[in-house]
Amino acid sequence: MDIFLKSCRNVLKGNADGSPGFHVVLGNEACDLDSMVSALAYAYFLSKTLDSGKSPLPVLNIPRQEFPLRTDNAFLLRESGLSQDDLVFRDEVDLGSLHRAGRLDLTLVDHNVLPSSDCDLEEAVLEVIDHHLLERKPSPPCAVTVETVGSCTTLVTERIIQKAPEVLDQQVAQLLYGTIVLDCVNMAPEAGKVTPKDSQYAVLLETHFPNLPPRGVLFQSLQNAKFDVSGLTTEQMLLKDMKVASEGDLKLAVSVIYMTLEAFLQRQSLQQELCEFCHKHSYNLVVAMTISFNDNKEPFRQLAVYSSSTLYRGEMSQALEQARSPSLSLSPMSSPYSDIRAYLQGNTLASRKKVLPIIKDFLRDRERREVHCGNLEESYEAPRQRAYTEDAGIEEDSYFPPTPMNSLVEGCPLDNGLPKISAEALTEKFSKMASEEENAGGL
């Protein structure tokens, strides 16, 4: 594996316009351990089995500067004898240019749909291997393997063993094994993540590679590395394990935070830091899902919803409170900040993997109502402009421009020094405009 990774960087540096190009294996934007190892191992497998002329290339879907935040990733690489210097990151290769030149094939691992920012790459996708809810629309040229196991690396391990077991060596096996063990919470059934297939391939790796670290020791070491957030800023904690969801005028970050919510809420100037984070990255909302472990080493989950907009904060909170597939069993907690709603999550089995579909359904339903009904008066607090569809890059209706980030907000400190418009005046203004359009034969 180490020789393969070094050769990847060398091939990338010597890439010429006349070369056939690359078969990129791309993980998701969170670049957690599962995403990273799935990309590395499957690209390595392709390097031994693929005969398309294109060079297999694993690409980690974050900028290089963010990698130190993935402390468990760095730990497992180091323990497996691999250097992060040999990895290729998203900001080091121009996938768009490769695709436009006809020199890109793409395999997605640990996700099955491209984000809207990468929609231009869709025609290059030849294969998907994932363990999340299938959102991808059928497309015959693309081979799809989606199975809701505990870890995507389980599916990658299965593919390697079925097609080319000789690819496995101690180094590759340790990457795969460590990831399965961490993702499946030490294979403990009470954590609700492990499946029979995960257990099958973990045992198979243990049997064929008896020199692998003991399961419990490896899990605890990876867990300790993953939960090490000492010295991180609030922004770094949010970026450490974050996924993004967007639809229309709403874009939100869903971050896993590795501490109790009480400890997170006690961070100095947290509300201001969250506002600055949203402003910097153009998010309307942040959903922070905290995880910690009690004395019996059982998972303990809490959840917080931040937005400087009462409207967005209320909508998102209501959707999570009323969710039924699955129910999160949320109980309100006290919050020291007016822009943060805090909850104890009774359903400790509902990880982000299960919460994200709830959020995406909410975003789609909200956008559908806005597009078809012309406004959201039945569900929301004040009339607003029509949605801006990020995927298409055009407005659904040109009556009003898209809402600028941090407008129509109540508590964002970045508003200091700007003229204030009361909610009543704003509502009256929109009502007057809607009345004038109605009289003129508009809406």
Side-chain angles (χ1 to χ4, degrees):
M1 171 73 82
D2 52 341
I3 296 174
F4 164 68
L5 294 178
K6 290 180 187 298
S7 70
C8 285
R9 287 205 63 84
N10 291 334
V11 170
L12 187 62
K13 289 178 181 177
N15 178 40
D17 292 340
S19 67
F22 297 96
H23 187 125
V24 169
V25 182
L26 185 69
N28 65 47
E29 293 175 298
C31 195
D32 57 7
L33 189 64
D34 195 18
S35 182
M36 180 189 76
V37 171
S38 293
L40 296 179
Y42 196 65
Y44 183 59
F45 163 77
L46 290 179
S47 74
K48 302 295 186 181
T49 59
L50 190 66
D51 190 24
S52 69
K54 291 185 170 69
S55 302
L57 179 68
V59 174
L60 277 60
N61 205 357
I62 55 170
R64 178 177 286 274
Q65 66 179 14
E66 290 185 15
F67 187 73
L69 303 180
R70 276 66 175 179
T71 45
D72 48 340
N73 296 28
F75 174 84
L76 187 58
L77 279 178
R78 189 167 57 250
E79 291 296 303
S80 303
L82 296 170
S83 171
Q84 59 184 270
D85 293 338
D86 296 328
L87 303 178
V88 176
F89 292 86
R90 185 60 191 270
D91 57 341
E92 297 173 337
V93 55
D94 189 343
L95 298 184
S97 293
L98 287 172
H99 177 49
R100 288 189 293 274
R103 302 171 57 234
L104 176 69
D105 290 341
L106 199 56
T107 289
L108 307 183
V109 291
D110 205 24
H111 63 316
N112 59 78
V113 290
L114 288 166
S116 57
S117 56
D118 284 334
C119 62
D120 291 344
L121 303 178
E122 180 58 42
E123 293 178 353
V125 180
L126 299 184
E127 187 174 15
V128 167
I129 302 176
D130 188 26
H131 68 135
H132 296 93
L133 179 70
L134 181 61
E135 298 179 82
R136 187 176 188 82
K137 295 178 181 178
S139 53
C142 179
V144 175
T145 300
V146 172
E147 187 175 344
T148 52
V149 292
S151 178
C152 185
T153 49
T154 294
L155 302 178
V156 173
T157 304
E158 179 180 50
R159 179 69 60 87
I160 293 173
I161 288 175
Q162 288 180 350
K163 300 292 185 180
E166 66 278 6
V167 168
L168 282 177
D169 58 21
Q170 179 75 25
Q171 198 171 51
V172 177
Q174 182 159 318
L175 288 172
L176 295 168
Y177 180 67
T179 307
I180 294 172
V181 168
L182 181 65
D183 268 0
C184 296
V185 196
N186 204 23
M187 320 310 286
E190 59 270 21
K193 299 198 72 174
V194 65
T195 69
K197 181 169 285 191
D198 297 300
S199 296
Q200 173 190 348
Y201 284 101
V203 170
L204 191 150
L205 290 169
E206 290 170 339
T207 302
H208 284 78
F209 298 92
N211 291 328
L212 287 171
R215 181 188 293 184
V217 173
L218 182 58
F219 170 75
Q220 196 58 57
S221 297
L222 285 167
Q223 187 87 320
N224 291 342
K226 186 173 185 175
F227 278 73
D228 182 9
V229 294
S230 56
L232 296 188
T233 66
T234 297
E235 179 181 25
Q236 290 172 329
M237 292 178 68
L238 293 168
L239 291 172
K240 177 178 169 67
D241 193 351
M242 184 184 79
K243 291 189 177 180
V244 178
S246 64
E247 189 81 32
D249 63 343
L250 268 184
K251 181 180 179 183
L252 60 92
V254 187
S255 296
V256 178
I257 305 294
Y258 296 97
M259 60 170 54
T260 66
L261 185 55
E262 289 87 350
F264 186 61
L265 291 175
Q266 288 172 9
R267 293 178 68 86
Q268 189 173 6
S269 305
L270 176 65
Q271 183 163 289
Q272 180 176 346
E273 290 179 335
L274 287 170
C275 180
E276 291 170 352
F277 175 79
C278 286
H279 188 267
K280 178 178 179 179
H281 298 281
S282 298
Y283 298 131
N284 308 91
L285 281 154
V286 172
V287 176
M289 300 184 65
T290 69
I291 181 169
S292 53
F293 290 85
N294 60 23
D295 293 339
N296 297 322
K297 297 187 177 180
E298 297 169 334
F300 179 68
R301 296 185 183 274
Q302 296 161 297
L303 185 149
V305 178
Y306 165 80
S307 179
S308 55
S309 164
T310 302
L311 177 64
Y312 294 151
R313 187 171 62 252
E315 291 174 8
M316 186 73 265
S317 299
Q318 184 179 37
L320 294 171
E321 290 170 5
Q322 297 178 352
R324 292 295 176 266
S325 298
S327 169
L328 304 184
S329 302
L330 298 180
S331 302
M333 295 170 51
S334 63
S335 169
Y337 299 105
S338 59
D339 291 351
I340 301 175
R341 289 195 184 182
Y343 298 93
L344 172 66
Q345 183 179 317
N347 182 358
T348 58
L349 302 182
S351 62
R352 181 178 58 188
K353 177 181 172 183
K354 297 179 180 178
V355 172
L356 264 177
I358 296 172
I359 292 173
K360 291 179 179 179
D361 284 345
F362 156 72
L363 292 173
R364 282 191 289 265
D365 289 345
R366 183 183 182 280
E367 175 71 359
R368 194 178 301 117
R369 285 195 303 268
E370 191 167 67
V371 170
H372 290 296
C373 300
N375 59 53
L376 302 177
E377 290 178 353
E378 293 183 4
S379 304
Y380 307 126
E381 299 175 3
R384 296 168 21 255
Q385 85 293 341
R386 303 295 177 82
Y388 182 81
T389 305
E390 184 182 353
D391 286 357
I394 58 173
E395 296 173 51
E396 294 291 344
D397 194 299
S398 58
Y399 285 109
F400 305 113
T403 305
M405 186 61 205
N406 283 324
S407 66
L408 301 183
V409 299
E410 293 77 25
C412 180
L414 298 178
D415 289 342
N416 290 342
L418 297 178
K420 299 295 182 182
I421 303 175
S422 69
E424 293 79 6
L426 193 60
T427 301
E428 181 181 353
K429 182 175 181 64
F430 273 116
S431 298
K432 183 178 179 181
M433 292 169 67
S435 176
E436 289 172 352
E437 287 175 332
E438 190 171 333
N439 293 335
L443 293 174

